[in-house]
Amino acid sequence: MKKTELLREIKKEVVELKSSPLYQERIKNNVFPVIGEGNHDADIMFVGEAPGAKEAATGRPFCGNAGKILDNCLQENGLKREETYITNIVKDRPPRNRDPLPEEIEAYRLFLDRQIEIIQPKIIVSLGRFSTEYILTKFKLEKELKPITALHGKIFNTETNYGKVKIIPIFHPAVAVHDPRKKDTLREGFKVLKNNL
Ligand code: URA
């Protein structure tokens, strides 16, 4: 099967995922799951946490305030959003944007694993502590786990069944939404990404 068909299959399964703890919330609010978007052959994959209000209303990842900051950081480094692939661990919006619960991560994580297998990115950028914890653990780097402040902008090399992958944890762009001074710290993380292409 082609990448597009495999990704479409994931979308179909998530749309029908009645067993998810967030499914009823989606129906009640008449919103969408957010599967991911971008280049199916991307070298860079961004993994965020979970959709916010705007994302759930449109079905598109990082299209709200945090997304504007992400777009801006990409632009500053000459990177095109459409050349990357952007997704989240949790595909439905947790109520009031609260942190995802372990059972919510569990409900969706295999979809992210499949997206990684299909797209085969050379660099996975984990945005924020939840996706960093998941990605480092998934690639058996759990001994490297520290608070995100200590991992931001570090590079972890790993071997997958499709080749070498670099994992770069970066602060979640939302940190700069209410504290513009954090933008500089965020920028440093994106510079690391740019320098490792
Ligand atoms: N925050 C995330 O983690 N993901 C989105 O798609 C939007 C905001």
Side-chain angles (χ1 to χ4, degrees), residues 48-52 55 61-62 88 172:
E49 187 176 305
E55 287 78 18
F62 283 96
N88 292 298
H172 194 288

Side-chain angles (χ1 to χ4, degrees), residues 34 47-53 55 60-67 86-90 127 172-174:
V34 177
V47 180
E49 187 176 305
E55 287 78 18
R60 294 189 55 226
F62 283 96
C63 64
N65 288 333
I86 305 179
T87 187
N88 292 298
I89 319 183
V90 171
L127 296 170
H172 194 288

